[in-house]
Amino acid sequence: MTAATFELRGLTAAVPGETGAVRLVEEVSLSVSAGETLAVVGESGSGKTVTFTSALGLLPKPGRVIEGQALYNGTDLLSLAPESLRRVRGAQIGMVFQDPLTGLNPVFRVGDQIAEVLRAHLSIGRREARERAVQLLARVQIPDPARRVHDYPHQFSGGMRQRVLIAMAIALGPRVLIADEPTTALDVTVQAQILDLLSELREEEGMAMVLITHDLGVVARQADRIAVMYSGRVVETGRVDEVFRAPRHPYTISLFRSIPDLDAPAGTMLAPIAGAPPDPQRRPSGCAFAPRCFAAREADGCMSRRPLLTDEGHAVACHRQGMLEQAA
Amino acid sequence: MLFYVARCAAQLAVALVGIVTVAFFLMRAIPGDPAIYMLGDYATTESLAALRARLGLDLPVWQQYGMFLASAARGDLGASVVTGQSALAEIWSAVPPSAELAVAGMAIAIAFGVPLGIVAAVRQGTFVDVAVMALALGGISFPVFWLGLVAILVLSHDMGLFPALGATSEPGLWPAIHHLALPALVLGLSVAAYIARLTRSAMLEVLGQDHIRVARAMGVPERRIVWHLALRNAAIPILAVIGVTFAWSLGNAILVEAVFSRPGLGSTILKAILARDYQLVQAGVLVLAAAVVLLNTLLDLVYGAIDPRLRKA
Ligand SMILES: Nc1ncnc2c1ncn2[C@@H]1O[C@H](COP(=O)(O)OP(=O)(O)OP(=O)(O)O)[C@@H](O)[C@H]1O
Ligand code: SF4
Ligand SMILES: [Mg+2]
């Protein structure tokens, strides 16, 4: 196995709460290598965004990482001085966020915003930055880029704004691209275009990509590996084909119930499961999924002990996985 | 953009007419007769009536108002009943010292208020933030004439840093600045307090927005994020509070002029009110109002330059 470009080890991030630290994500471990796409799925609030923002030191105060490492080519980003971390962000690791409509600064021209990112990392003049901005807009297939660099964000559609944000994220040729539900806020037709653009760029640049999504069809088509998150933890991870063929964690099984095979059409969303995920402040003491789990059994420790992720290729965090496999 | 400018100009005209109208009727609503003031208590009924007729004061108020508007439209605001000189010219001669004070005061207010507000926002919840906000609360709570008196007592009387008089007839730039410094500081710091508080809250709002998180994720240096990317977004509410506090600080300037015995619009208008010198008061109000409205019109244009979305409207 080649060394991972980007790897999280036991990442735990918390915010102060009334009764001590509230752990938003706990012991998250995952990795992604050059040329590979890792899909991260999970219900809303499962900690997908917090995982990656805290790995890049972007968790808003007073939130902070209390344990774990975020390794980029073997260097722990969380041990870096703020200035060194800043130089990695944007340059080595690009990130595209959930909501393109609010992601651009409304009072600056898009060309200037792209130039701002370039000039944050390179010592180039305004003119050169502006020229590169035009090239980047062309790169993300925005028509008439030489004219569009002068426009303001409100003159762009949602899909076009996401393209601009992608242009900013890839401006410095990062080795890792984290795309956090890049299409949720967009029209269905535009969603496909943006995802195609992302996978094209990933192939051309040989980047490692993390794709956070709710769309299992997209996972099936674009991802090599998958990590399923529930209540701040990774509960199952492995190669996409393995996990789709034989999901082992009851949560994953419930999610996949509606799609038995890899030929899931695009737009197949995670199946809703009865009940709601626990608030990070009031997680049950055993398995966080126990209240909603069809297989939960006290005798196996579901209500008292936290299941830990096994240490294999296709890893699962469940006390009963062996028994479930036998039953299947 | 042209339409935007035209709309600003129209707003300016409407505001000015409204303000002189209010001033016109307000002056006539307060008791007192300029004729008696001019001729004295022992004037005969005939001579009073003759003077009233000459001044047009015997006509119905609405007719007086009509005549006033007609001549005002031609730029003629009448003559001061006390000195007989053109009211506008008399007011105009009192403008320079007041303008100096107001401009110096606002410059100090902005120079202190904006950076302090930004620093407080960036250091939200820290000692710096608490200290700045406590200072600002003090600046807002104490009346400006009290601040003025304390400033004179401490900085001028005890420490001898500045003269207690806010004006001088000595020639030269340095004596003028030296005398202006203390009144401008007193006027400016109370406004700075407002500006600091508003700047802080405007910056806090912007710094929590998505595009700032994007800029951080892209590795834009924090200094650049605060002083360039966020500040331009916060500029409109900050400029708006500058516009509002300008009107308010013109009012304060009258008090500051009194405390520091400075000549200016304050003492001129005050004397005119006591003398029921209608024309002079009207001219004074018009000049003050024009200053406020002009500044706000200018700010409206600046808003359009800052935020492209406002230009369309
Ligand atoms: N800054 C914060 N302070 C406190 N709690 C937070 C903060 N950010 C996120 N949370 C909480 O952490 C949990 C995980 O949030 P996160 O945004 O990572 O979810 P997500 O998986 O990205 O969901 P979605 O699919 O809706 O984007 C949620 O319960 C959320 O309320
Ligand atoms: S540990 Fe128990 S409760 Fe949790 S998922 Fe497995 S079977 Fe369900
Ligand atoms: Mg999210």
Side-chain angles (χ1 to χ4, degrees):
Chain A
M1 208 174 109
T2 54
T5 313
F6 187 58
E7 178 178 4
L8 305 184
R9 282 197 195 151
L11 190 77
T12 302
V15 289
E18 282 152 33
T19 53
V22 177
R23 293 161 162 240
L24 301 179
V25 295
E26 286 184 304
E27 297 166 35
V28 173
S29 297
L30 41 81
S31 67
V32 59
S33 308
E36 184 189 48
T37 298
L38 169 73
V40 178
V41 304
E43 284 169 305
S44 185
S46 56
K48 306 182 295 293
T49 300
V50 168
T51 297
F52 292 95
T53 47
S54 50
L56 299 181
L58 292 171
L59 192 63
K61 274 187 266 184
R64 65 190 188 90
V65 173
I66 53 179
E67 247 180 82
Q69 295 176 311
L71 304 170
Y72 170 71
N73 281 338
T75 310
D76 182 11
L77 301 179
L78 300 169
S79 66
L80 291 180
E83 176 59 15
S84 317
L85 179 56
R86 177 188 81 69
R87 286 177 184 285
V88 173
R89 283 202 297 252
Q92 310 291 332
I93 304 177
M95 188 155 179
V96 177
F97 289 94
Q98 234 157 330
D99 192 353
L101 296 179
T102 52
L104 287 167
N105 196 323
V107 301
F108 289 93
R109 296 174 199 279
V110 299
D112 291 340
Q113 297 188 49
I114 299 173
E116 189 74 38
V117 175
L118 290 166
R119 283 158 61 90
H121 299 282
L122 308 170
S123 46
I124 54 171
R126 272 170 204 287
R127 265 186 74 110
E128 196 189 338
R130 181 62 73 92
E131 278 160 21
R132 287 221 208 168
V134 176
Q135 293 163 7
L136 281 160
L137 289 185
R139 188 86 212 280
V140 294
Q141 295 153 23
I142 288 181
D144 201 0
R147 194 175 54 81
R148 298 295 267 170
V149 275
H150 301 290
D151 282 348
Y152 287 92
H154 73 270
Q155 293 164 295
F156 287 75
S157 67
M160 286 293 157
R161 284 189 222 183
Q162 192 61 295
R163 284 174 193 269
V164 173
L165 286 159
I166 292 170
M168 283 164 76
I170 61 158
L172 289 124
R175 303 320 305 151
V176 181
L177 184 64
I178 301 166
D180 185 355
E181 299 184 40
T183 61
T184 15
L186 304 175
D187 291 344
V188 183
T189 46
V190 181
Q191 293 190 353
Q193 295 166 7
I194 295 289
L195 288 164
D196 286 347
L197 173 66
L198 283 171
S199 63
E200 241 177 83
L201 291 168
R202 198 217 71 221
E203 249 161 64
E204 284 166 20
E205 306 268 332
M207 292 184 284
M209 185 152 108
V210 176
L211 183 62
I212 301 175
T213 180
H214 283 283
D215 190 330
L216 293 176
V218 169
V219 177
R221 275 186 295 122
Q222 303 205 335
D224 303 296
R225 287 189 302 113
I226 181 173
V228 181
M229 290 193 70
Y230 184 79
S231 190
R233 283 173 172 267
V234 175
V235 293
E236 178 158 7
T237 180
R239 293 216 321 271
V240 167
D241 52 347
E242 282 176 346
V243 175
F244 271 57
R245 281 220 179 83
R248 288 189 196 159
H249 193 282
Y251 176 64
T252 321
I253 295 170
S254 305
L255 286 182
F256 286 13
R257 212 159 248 167
S258 57
I259 40 148
D261 61 331
L262 271 175
D263 307 323
T268 310
M269 294 301 166
L270 305 181
I273 304 170
D279 187 302
Q281 291 209 50
R282 279 178 283 279
R283 271 189 206 116
S285 55
C287 171
F289 188 55
R292 301 166 77 190
C293 179
F294 60 81
R297 239 178 50 168
E298 178 55 67
D300 292 311
C302 289
M303 281 75 176
S304 50
R305 284 181 299 123
R306 187 139 298 173
L308 298 178
L309 203 62
T310 50
D311 204 11
E312 337 154 13
H314 182 174
V316 186
C318 172
H319 294 310
R320 304 203 62 208
Q321 53 151 318
M323 280 150 267
L324 288 171
E325 260 168 297
Q326 279 162 18
Chain B
M1 191 70 199
L2 210 66
F3 175 71
Y4 184 74
V5 173
R7 204 189 51 185
C8 287
Q11 279 171 355
L12 184 134
V14 171
L16 284 183
V17 172
I19 288 164
V20 292
T21 302
V22 170
F24 181 91
F25 288 105
L26 216 56
M27 273 311 283
R28 275 144 186 93
I30 53 176
D33 183 342
I36 295 180
Y37 185 88
M38 287 168 80
L39 299 179
D41 289 343
Y42 302 105
T44 61
T45 326
E46 293 82 45
S47 59
L48 279 176
L51 182 61
R52 286 202 192 100
R54 190 163 63 75
L55 296 175
L57 294 172
D58 54 343
L59 298 171
V61 171
W62 60 267
Q63 209 170 330
Q64 291 183 37
Y65 176 62
M67 286 161 58
F68 164 71
L69 273 193
S71 50
R74 278 178 274 115
D76 174 15
L77 292 179
S80 158
V81 288
V82 179
T83 62
Q85 280 186 325
S86 154
L88 205 52
E90 195 150 321
I91 287 295
W92 204 238
S93 67
V95 164
S98 287
E100 271 168 28
L101 178 60
V103 169
M106 280 317 278
I108 289 174
I110 294 167
F112 280 90
V114 173
L116 281 177
I118 292 173
V119 169
V122 172
R123 303 278 172 84
Q124 188 196 8
T126 65
F127 172 75
V128 179
D129 181 24
V130 174
V132 169
M133 284 306 103
L135 259 167
L137 189 64
I140 289 169
S141 314
F142 294 118
V144 67
F145 60 85
W146 183 86
L147 278 181
L149 292 173
V150 170
I152 290 177
L153 216 66
V154 177
L155 295 177
S156 164
H157 182 265
D158 292 352
M159 299 169 71
L161 292 176
F162 298 99
L165 276 181
T168 176
S169 50
E170 249 180 276
L173 191 60
W174 170 243
I177 291 178
H178 196 209
H179 282 80
L180 179 63
L182 206 51
L185 210 62
V186 167
L187 183 62
L189 289 185
S190 58
V191 179
Y194 270 94
I195 294 179
R197 284 172 71 103
L198 192 108
T199 300
R200 176 181 180 271
S201 65
M203 284 297 285
L204 278 178
E205 195 195 320
V206 174
L207 286 171
Q209 284 170 357
D210 276 357
H211 55 86
I212 295 298
R213 184 176 63 165
V214 169
R216 289 203 174 108
M218 301 293 167
V220 177
E222 198 59 27
R223 203 166 6 93
R224 195 76 189 146
I225 288 177
V226 171
W227 295 90
H228 183 64
L229 299 182
L231 186 56
R232 168 110 41 122
N233 277 271
I236 287 181
I238 294 174
L239 287 172
V241 80
I242 289 172
V244 171
T245 51
F246 180 69
W248 179 72
S249 78
L250 282 182
N252 266 349
I254 292 177
L255 296 173
V256 171
E257 282 173 1
V259 172
F260 288 93
S261 319
R262 264 180 75 86
L265 282 176
S267 57
T268 309
I269 294 179
L270 217 58
K271 262 185 264 165
I273 292 175
L274 295 176
R276 300 291 178 273
D277 191 342
Y278 292 169
Q279 273 67 24
L280 203 54
V281 174
Q282 276 155 201
V285 169
L286 188 69
V287 166
L288 284 178
V292 172
V293 175
L294 258 175
L295 180 81
N296 281 287
T297 307
L298 209 69
L299 287 177
D300 272 346
L301 290 174
V302 175
Y303 298 160
I306 293 172
D307 193 334
R309 291 165 301 179
L310 297 175
R311 270 175 241 161
K312 289 192 305 181

